[in-house]
Amino acid sequence: MANLKFKVEALRTLTSPYRKGVKDESTFEIIYYLLVDMKALPANIPLDVNPREPKMTTNVARSLLAAVVEPETDFYINNRGIVIAAKALIFNSADSEVTIDIGNQDDNNDKYLYGILDGGHTYTAIMQKRNDIPENLRKFVRVEVITNVQNITRLSDARNTSAQVSDIALFNLDDKFDDIKTAVAGQVYADLIAYKDNENKPIHVSELLRLMYAFDIDKYSDDNAAPVQSYSGKAQVFKRYKQAFETPFYKSLTRQLPMLVELYDIIERELPEKYKEYKKAQGVANPRFGSVRGIESLENPTQTEFLATPTKYSVSAGYIYPIFGAFRSLLKFDEVKKTVSWLFNPIDIWNEVGTSIVQNTFETYTNPQLSGKDKQLWLSNYRIVENQSLRKLLSTNKQTI
């Protein structure tokens, strides 16, 4: 567990208006507004959760560096400040000191959930230039700390939209999405994918990157770790693709996109029936799937995300991804042939154990934000699929003896 401890000049708290009367307050965000002396800021606040690394050679960055040391004292008014996502914050009013819990930074799940979410350039400028601030001058910066963040992806997108999308658009300008375009050519959704800024198409290419990340067996090869960031860390998903898209593994994985899309679509549209199946097996006469948190029952049918299949329910991705990612256990990479293949057709396995996975998911959580980023849920679903594939392998071997 990593803690940041430092003095603050002022602190204000804003609690969620939705938490009143609710027993489990851990599912609601708390926002803390801090005013901090630049020289009091810790030098070790992680930036991994930020969608882009600070680049201090731009004109904007140079202006920030100059603003840190200039004699004017309005930096905390003119600058947007720093945003930190954290597990918890404790304020010691006697010492005017805060202790911020940013989780275990050696664990990938915490690493990409807690730290500086926005304001990385501001923080870097302060770290580089604060020792040059005259001794008789105090300079302050605003720090916003948000705890219990339920959907880090939405928050990251909201605070970093222009920067993140521009990175992806620049990637497209260099023709680095060509493998994806080739893989989905001829699919019904091929012309519905947006690769450019402000392109008026329903599917952003980042959604395809998330599907591949959930099956990244090069990075997540077994049940010791889970690709939770495919749900909770869209920025990290792009960073990974940018790093690995030219590797033999990712090139071969990219060719599996049509299968990944089909699997996701089937889970999305059949999940309601699987839920009702397991509930009826437990004696519930009339299961109410539409009453579950994160599920919306619609009077007018909508469509699934990729294949536009008609469905009566809008299902949060927080439920779908821990189920979808479980089928990663069926994927194998041949180091010699440099290709990925399936032990069994994932859709066949879904038909066999889908009800069990759905039961495991909804009996663990009925909160999509919690289920989507819970490593243990991802791993337990993975093991259900893995055990089924082992049973089928044993059965096949017996028949050939």
Side-chain angles (χ1 to χ4, degrees):
M1 182 180 295
N3 287 329
L4 307 171
K5 185 178 291 188
F6 55 96
K7 288 187 177 295
V8 299
E9 191 71 15
L11 180 146
R12 297 291 182 270
T13 304
L14 180 64
T15 59
S16 170
Y18 301 106
R19 65 187 286 172
K20 297 176 182 177
V22 177
K23 292 182 180 179
D24 185 7
E25 295 186 351
S26 66
T27 61
F28 295 99
E29 295 85 352
I30 302 176
I31 306 173
Y32 300 90
Y33 296 101
L34 317 178
L35 193 59
V36 185
D37 189 314
M38 290 183 182
K39 293 183 179 179
L41 269 180
N44 60 335
I45 308 178
L47 286 156
D48 297 281
V49 72
N50 198 294
R52 61 186 337 196
E53 296 178 4
K55 185 177 181 181
M56 303 308 292
T57 56
T58 65
N59 290 334
V60 172
R62 284 193 285 268
S63 297
L64 276 173
L65 291 165
V68 171
V69 295
E70 65 185 6
E72 284 78 4
T73 58
D74 55 1
F75 184 95
Y76 75 100
I77 296 173
N78 300 332
N79 184 269
R80 291 192 309 171
I82 299 165
V83 180
I84 299 174
K87 294 187 78 170
L89 181 147
I90 298 174
F91 177 51
N92 182 341
S93 58
D95 297 328
S96 294
E97 188 175 71
V98 294
T99 300
I100 301 173
D101 180 359
I102 53 170
N104 177 9
Q105 290 295 307
D106 292 328
D107 182 287
N108 269 343
N109 291 328
D110 285 0
K111 183 178 181 180
Y112 295 121
L113 285 176
Y114 307 117
I116 293 179
L117 184 72
D118 187 31
H121 286 85
T122 295
Y123 178 69
T124 303
I126 292 171
M127 290 300 105
Q128 290 184 6
K129 302 294 287 186
R130 65 180 178 178
N131 290 336
D132 296 332
I133 298 174
E135 291 186 7
N136 62 345
L137 179 66
R138 296 184 73 196
K139 298 288 290 282
F140 294 93
V141 62
R142 283 182 289 161
V143 178
E144 181 181 349
V145 180
I146 308 176
T147 62
N148 297 332
V149 175
Q150 300 301 301
N151 193 325
I152 200 74
T153 298
R154 284 175 59 82
L155 179 58
S156 176
D157 285 353
R159 298 300 179 105
N160 294 280
T161 298
S162 60
Q164 184 182 350
V165 173
S166 294
D167 276 354
I168 291 178
L170 289 171
F171 208 67
N172 178 60
L173 284 175
D174 289 336
D175 299 323
K176 292 179 179 177
F177 287 129
D178 281 0
D179 285 348
I180 291 179
K181 293 175 183 178
T182 299
V184 302
Q187 302 295 316
V188 295
Y189 50 87
D191 294 330
L192 304 178
I193 301 170
Y195 297 93
K196 303 174 183 178
D197 284 346
N198 303 316
E199 197 169 6
N200 188 24
K201 294 184 177 181
I203 304 169
H204 196 272
V205 65
S206 60
E207 297 304 314
L208 298 180
L209 303 186
R210 292 171 72 188
L211 298 184
M212 287 191 288
Y213 191 92
F215 281 75
D216 190 343
I217 57 173
D218 182 53
K219 188 176 179 68
Y220 302 97
S221 59
D222 51 33
D223 62 354
N224 289 317
V228 175
Q229 284 76 41
S230 57
Y231 166 71
S232 65
K234 193 184 297 184
Q236 282 66 46
V237 170
F238 176 62
K239 284 183 181 180
R240 170 61 175 166
Y241 184 79
K242 188 176 180 180
Q243 171 195 43
F245 78 101
E246 291 183 308
T247 63
F249 168 70
Y250 250 85
K251 280 186 170 296
S252 185
L253 179 63
T254 302
R255 291 193 285 272
Q256 295 294 329
L257 268 171
M259 172 60 80
L260 298 181
V261 168
E262 184 180 358
L263 175 62
Y264 189 96
D265 189 86
I266 286 174
I267 294 172
E268 183 180 4
R269 71 173 186 259
E270 292 187 358
L271 195 152
E273 290 307 314
K274 300 291 186 187
Y275 176 88
K276 292 174 183 177
E277 283 177 14
Y278 105 75
K279 282 293 188 180
K280 286 181 178 179
Q282 292 183 334
V284 179
N286 186 27
R288 300 179 61 189
F289 184 64
S291 298
V292 178
R293 182 175 178 177
I295 307 297
E296 188 176 356
S297 180
L298 306 170
E299 290 185 10
N300 298 316
T302 184
Q303 296 178 328
T304 55
E305 182 176 2
F306 294 104
L307 298 183
T309 309
T311 176
K312 295 188 298 182
Y313 295 96
S314 175
V315 182
S316 169
Y319 291 129
I320 299 174
Y321 265 95
I323 296 172
F324 174 73
F327 295 85
R328 181 179 94 257
S329 65
L330 300 175
L331 200 66
K332 303 298 173 187
F333 179 62
D334 189 317
E335 293 284 355
V336 177
K337 296 180 180 179
K338 306 299 182 185
T339 57
V340 298
S341 60
W342 300 93
L343 280 175
F344 298 99
N345 186 310
I347 295 171
D348 290 343
I349 302 296
W350 162 253
N351 291 334
E352 294 166 7
V353 298
T355 302
S356 296
I357 302 175
V358 170
Q359 178 176 353
N360 185 59
T361 300
F362 284 91
E363 289 193 348
T364 302
Y365 288 111
T366 52
N367 180 322
Q369 281 74 41
L370 296 181
S371 64
K373 61 186 182 182
D374 186 88
K375 173 184 173 182
Q376 296 308 316
L377 173 59
W378 280 71
L379 296 182
S380 60
N381 282 347
Y382 176 99
R383 291 173 190 132
I384 291 174
V385 174
E386 184 179 49
N387 288 338
Q388 179 66 5
S389 67
L390 290 174
R391 282 193 290 268
K392 290 176 74 71
L393 285 171
L394 286 172
S395 176
T396 301
N397 290 337
K398 287 180 180 179
Q399 292 174 11
T400 58
I401 293 176

